[in-house]
Amino acid sequence: ELKVEQNPLFLSMQEGKNYTIYCNYSTTSDRLYWYRQDPGKSLESLFVLLSNGAVKQEGRLMASLDTKARLSTLHITAAVHDLSATYFCAVKNSNSGYALNFGKGTSLLVTP
Amino acid sequence: GAVVSQHPSRVICKSGTSVKIECRSLDFQATTMFWYRQFPKQSLMLMATSNEGSKATYEQGVEKDKFLINHASLTLSTLTVTSAHPEDSSFYICSASGQDRETQYFGPGTRLLVL
């Protein structure tokens, strides 16, 4: 069974600080996705990481993928309040028609 | 990017009734559509995978006779919750992918409340 684990599940951080969210998964995969979800809304795609060593950056967020360690990170630089949301990582599951297995999500709150 | 719509966005129904949720890919042909369910403050859980013109594949624990999925065309999949009960109240999100299966495009979700 493909398992996807995120940590931390809850994160409260001050504006201006840096932090990293971790995503581990249990089986071989070279496709990892990061999504953002605001309360009551659907998912917004942030990053698609397609190969080992992939690094992508958008604004204050940077995601990386290490397929050998089965680990992805989402790094937040100089957090601002607008980044408050829940962040999910997901891995494609070839046993389920390429559906996504999601982590439990990291609920991020950025405070002044 | 590709757009996926869902209708309705919110629905309130009485226990025992059936509710149909539509998922449409607006500007691409969706070979595969996925239905997820998300309970409050939890992650998304895959319910079923549907391919156009064939029967849906349900995940373990999801009753196929209760959650009827029809994927009659390359742009439309429907999920019907039959004989809904309060415990079916949830946020239902569909996603769609094209032939390359690389990217899934998520719909805006349907919030179902069963009284």
Side-chain angles (χ1 to χ4, degrees), chain B residues 3-102:
Chain B
V3 179
V4 175
S5 70
Q6 276 184 246
H7 179 80
S9 58
R10 290 177 177 269
V11 57
I12 301 173
C13 70
K14 291 182 179 180
S15 185
T17 60
S18 294
V19 174
K20 181 185 283 189
I21 302 170
E22 291 185 349
C23 176
R24 293 182 186 272
S25 57
L26 298 184
D27 50 4
F28 70 103
Q29 293 187 327
T31 311
T32 306
M33 287 186 169
F34 306 92
W35 287 95
Y36 296 85
R37 180 168 52 181
Q38 185 182 33
F39 291 108
K41 301 202 181 295
Q42 294 189 25
S43 188
L44 279 75
M45 298 300 293
L46 178 68
M47 297 176 67
T49 302
S50 75
N51 293 295
E52 184 264 339
S54 61
K55 289 185 179 179
T57 302
Y58 291 81
E59 294 300 296
Q60 196 171 14
V62 178
E63 298 174 59
K64 63 180 180 181
D65 295 329
K66 180 172 181 61
F67 298 98
L68 302 179
I69 292 173
N70 184 283
H71 191 165
S73 76
L74 284 171
T75 59
L76 174 64
S77 177
T78 60
L79 168 67
T80 301
V81 183
T82 62
S83 187
H85 289 285
E87 57 264 32
D88 298 324
S89 298
S90 187
F91 193 42
Y92 292 85
I93 305 175
C94 72
S95 71
S97 64
Q99 277 194 322
D100 65 358
R101 294 178 169 175
E102 287 298 341

Side-chain angles (χ1 to χ4, degrees), chain A residues 2-3 10-11 26 34 36 51-53 55 71 93 98 110:
Chain A
L2 173 57
K3 292 183 179 179
F10 299 96
L11 177 56
S26 61
W34 284 97
R36 168 180 171 147
S51 61
N52 186 41
V55 177
L71 170 68
N93 187 347
Y98 299 90
V110 181

